[in-house]
Amino acid sequence: MLSKVHVTQARSQAFKAFYATIRSLKNPPAEPPAEPTPPSENDFILSILRSNPSLRDTRSYLASFGMQPKKPQPPSTASGLQRAPEVVIPPPVHKATTSLANAVDKRAPQPSPVITSILNPIYQKTALVKVHGPFTDVQLDSITKGLVYLGKLGLVSVIVIENNDRATGDLAERSRIVDEVMRIVTSLERQGAHARPVVGPVARLGPKPGAHDLNADPDFIPPETHAYPGDLTPIRSSLNAGEIPVVAPLALDSFCRSVRVDANDLIAGLACGMMEAAAQDKATRSEHEVGTSGSGDVDLTPLRLMIINQHGGVPSYARSGYPHLLINLNQEYSHILETFDPKWKSTHPTALSDLALARTCLSYMPPTSSAIMVSHKSPSSLIGNLITNKPTISSSLPHALLQGNSRLTPHTPTLLRRGLPVRVIRSVGEIDKGKMTTLLEQSFGRTLDQDAFYERLEGVLDFVIIVGDYAGTAIVTKEGGYDSTQAPISYLDKFAVLPSHQGDGTVDFLWVALHDESYGLGHPFSANPNGGKGGKGEGHDLVWRSRSNNPVNKWYFERSTGHMRMGNWVLFWADGERKLKIEEGRRGSEGLSFIEDWEEGRLGRWADVIPKIPSAWSK
């Protein structure tokens, strides 16, 4: 137990540090004693390059943070005629000046607009960040460097602190909280950022009135704090001043006392409150301001939830305790709780509580938002998550590639999404043909020959996987089963995702369900809750084809066992995994041959049957 003298000294030191920070923000000294060293620009650019964003990822990022196209002005209708476009005639320029300008242009090529947009974001969005210590000064500097990089890309952090090493309930608790806030503020400023300590309550204790009525999920538990737009003034002021707010886990109780609360409860309450405040801002902003970027205000809508801790993501039974890569909370939440090994509670003590936090926050945040659980050892992965909004390693890659992947470590981050339900149906009569037709036509950009397509499915359908309300589908048929001596070919007839859901994880959720229901059957890691066989059964080869100029083929190459070119088509296949695994175990050190006995002649049969499958599209 600390003496009153020690408690008083700690409070005094915390107050002095707090006052010095505020004073320096208002009246910065003319000659600072020690200039903070900002992170290297080369490190920053390398972090962007390591994320390896695709063209679609870059477009998605620029849609959120880049220059938005202005709405065209409506033509004047006073005279009933369209106003002619304005013609601006530049003033005459002296020939010598023109020659010099041309010479300068040749010597200094202009940077790419894409690079300029990424390095100079127009719009700023917010991320809720939980920094859950204890961390050493070196670890904390690594974390804050990553957060400063995010700020340069347009994502400004609202940080809430938590520390397992700090005892609760004693007289010195408040001063220790302030010390921890100031420690993170100091670390941020060491990285060249401006930060502001927020040591007063920004939320109120207790669930928000009517919170149960706002969520249709009967299992939803509202957070133990709530915030109204007016309560967020310290956070809003900090963001608009270009500062990163570092928030203490405090809330006002019913007697207007500032009390210590769990950081998870505060973050969940802030997620709801910031969404409400952002909606009010949007409603009160004029139409002219919406189309411009000069207001300087930061959008309070939380775009990301980032949970930074010591142990990283949620361990997975399918990866021998290594973390989940991508979680569909809508579908997998209960399954993860059921398969969580009790021994992981000692190595990942906050994994389940953080999982529940992500589920609560994402229920408030926009559908495109995501959460990431990351170790302090992987701060650079935050950059990749911001730009690509994807996991570090795709969860739909073949299991053998995941098991042997050097990038898969105990500290690999877990990406979490609100996600969509997944179900498997085995009858054409269960298909909503109207929604299925819309999905296929929008995904492929072609007109479906509906009568012929559904009539064919009546005779050959194996199963259909549907994600959400027909946001994505995988249709698998049984082909070439005319000879009783040969098993039918399992053929992926259609794999489609609505354009509006491309890039939000639906593609990976759909392919994982397809794996579990076809070539991955029989493995324990295929026992996922997708509404199908639950991993029970015998896996079989899955075959599909794609036009040779299809841009998706790169994605298919990574997920297939092999491919064969057939004119304008590429034939892909994925081997039944369990059969190969059993044979590999039986042979031991001898390994597998290039062609097993049961694989003899299969390529010739596929090449004969698959091209004869009729097109589903109208001519």
Side-chain angles (χ1 to χ4, degrees), residues 204-252:
R204 306 168 189 234
L205 193 61
K208 187 174 183 178
H212 281 287
D213 301 333
L214 299 176
N215 197 298
D217 186 357
D219 298 327
F220 175 75
I221 301 176
E224 290 299 322
T225 68
H226 64 281
Y228 294 105
D231 300 327
L232 302 177
T233 299
I235 293 177
R236 187 193 298 273
S237 171
S238 175
L239 294 174
N240 290 339
E243 301 166 341
I244 299 175
V246 183
V247 183
L250 304 171
L252 281 179

Side-chain angles (χ1 to χ4, degrees), residues 88 228 234 297 320 374 434 603:
V88 179
Y228 294 105
D297 290 343
S320 304
V374 61
L603 287 181

Side-chain angles (χ1 to χ4, degrees), residues 448-458 614-617:
L448 186 69
D449 186 352
Q450 298 183 44
D451 293 339
F453 177 70
Y454 293 113
E455 182 179 351
R456 194 182 94 82
L457 287 187
E458 290 283 359
S615 172
W617 311 110

Side-chain angles (χ1 to χ4, degrees), residues 138-438:
V138 173
Q139 292 169 346
L140 198 57
D141 284 346
S142 176
I143 292 169
T144 54
K145 179 186 291 186
L147 297 180
V148 170
Y149 284 169
L150 291 179
K152 291 184 177 184
L153 289 169
L155 190 70
V156 187
S157 301
V158 177
I159 302 174
V160 178
I161 68 162
E162 185 64 283
N163 195 321
N164 285 340
D165 274 4
R166 301 292 187 254
T168 59
D170 60 17
L171 293 175
E173 180 181 26
R174 183 64 57 90
S175 64
R176 285 198 298 266
I177 291 174
V178 173
D179 287 343
E180 195 68 23
V181 167
M182 294 307 304
R183 187 163 167 257
I184 295 179
V185 167
T186 302
S187 179
L188 286 166
E189 293 181 340
R190 253 197 317 266
Q191 303 302 324
H194 295 290
R196 180 186 299 187
V198 180
V199 295
V202 292
R204 306 168 189 234
L205 193 61
K208 187 174 183 178
H212 281 287
D213 301 333
L214 299 176
N215 197 298
D217 186 357
D219 298 327
F220 175 75
I221 301 176
E224 290 299 322
T225 68
H226 64 281
Y228 294 105
D231 300 327
L232 302 177
T233 299
I235 293 177
R236 187 193 298 273
S237 171
S238 175
L239 294 174
N240 290 339
E243 301 166 341
I244 299 175
V246 183
V247 183
L250 304 171
L252 281 179
D253 66 7
S254 57
F255 297 99
C256 292
R257 297 175 301 192
S258 177
V259 297
R260 170 79 159 87
V261 294
D262 187 89
N264 284 9
D265 288 327
L266 178 59
I267 292 172
L270 287 177
C272 179
M274 290 170 69
M275 285 295 298
E276 183 180 345
Q280 285 191 7
D281 291 346
K282 186 176 181 181
T284 56
R285 200 176 299 142
S286 70
E287 183 178 355
H288 174 71
E289 289 174 332
V290 171
T292 62
S293 58
S295 63
D297 290 343
V298 179
D299 186 352
L300 285 179
T301 305
L303 191 68
R304 297 282 191 278
L305 169 66
M306 298 179 177
I307 301 170
I308 306 174
N309 54 35
Q310 292 183 314
H311 51 73
V314 183
S316 167
Y317 77 98
R319 312 203 196 289
S320 304
Y322 277 24
H324 284 272
L325 298 173
L326 177 64
I327 294 178
N328 179 350
L329 288 168
N330 191 301
Q331 188 76 17
E332 302 176 51
Y333 182 75
S334 299
H335 183 68
I336 292 174
L337 298 182
E338 294 168 0
T339 56
F340 192 85
D341 195 320
K343 69 181 180 184
W344 294 334
K345 292 182 180 179
S346 59
T347 58
H348 297 72
T350 64
L352 296 184
S353 61
D354 288 338
L355 181 70
L357 171 64
R359 186 189 188 207
T360 301
C361 290
L362 290 177
S363 69
Y364 293 121
M365 294 159 66
T368 54
S369 296
S370 62
I372 186 171
M373 295 171 60
V374 61
S375 159
H376 64 86
K377 294 185 177 182
S378 305
S380 60
S381 60
L382 298 176
I383 299 290
N385 170 251
L386 173 62
I387 297 177
T388 67
N389 206 8
K390 294 177 181 177
T392 305
I393 310 170
S394 174
S395 59
S396 61
L397 286 172
H399 191 72
L401 291 182
L402 291 177
Q403 290 296 91
N405 198 316
S406 60
R407 297 170 65 194
L408 182 59
T409 71
H411 294 277
T412 300
T414 296
L415 184 68
L416 307 99
R417 288 187 175 276
R418 185 194 305 179
L420 296 166
V422 181
R423 58 194 174 104
V424 178
I425 60 178
R426 303 187 181 277
S427 168
V428 178
E430 298 178 69
I431 300 175
D432 186 322
K433 295 180 181 179
K435 293 181 178 179
M436 178 64 77
T437 300
T438 300

Side-chain angles (χ1 to χ4, degrees), residues 32 42 54 56 83 101 130 141 208 221 229 264 334 418 434 442 457 460 471 521 526 560:
N42 289 337
S54 66
R56 177 180 293 167
R83 188 170 57 184
K130 176 187 176 184
D141 284 346
K208 187 174 183 178
I221 301 176
N264 284 9
S334 299
R418 185 194 305 179
Q442 288 191 11
L457 287 187
V460 298
L521 272 177
S526 295
S560 64

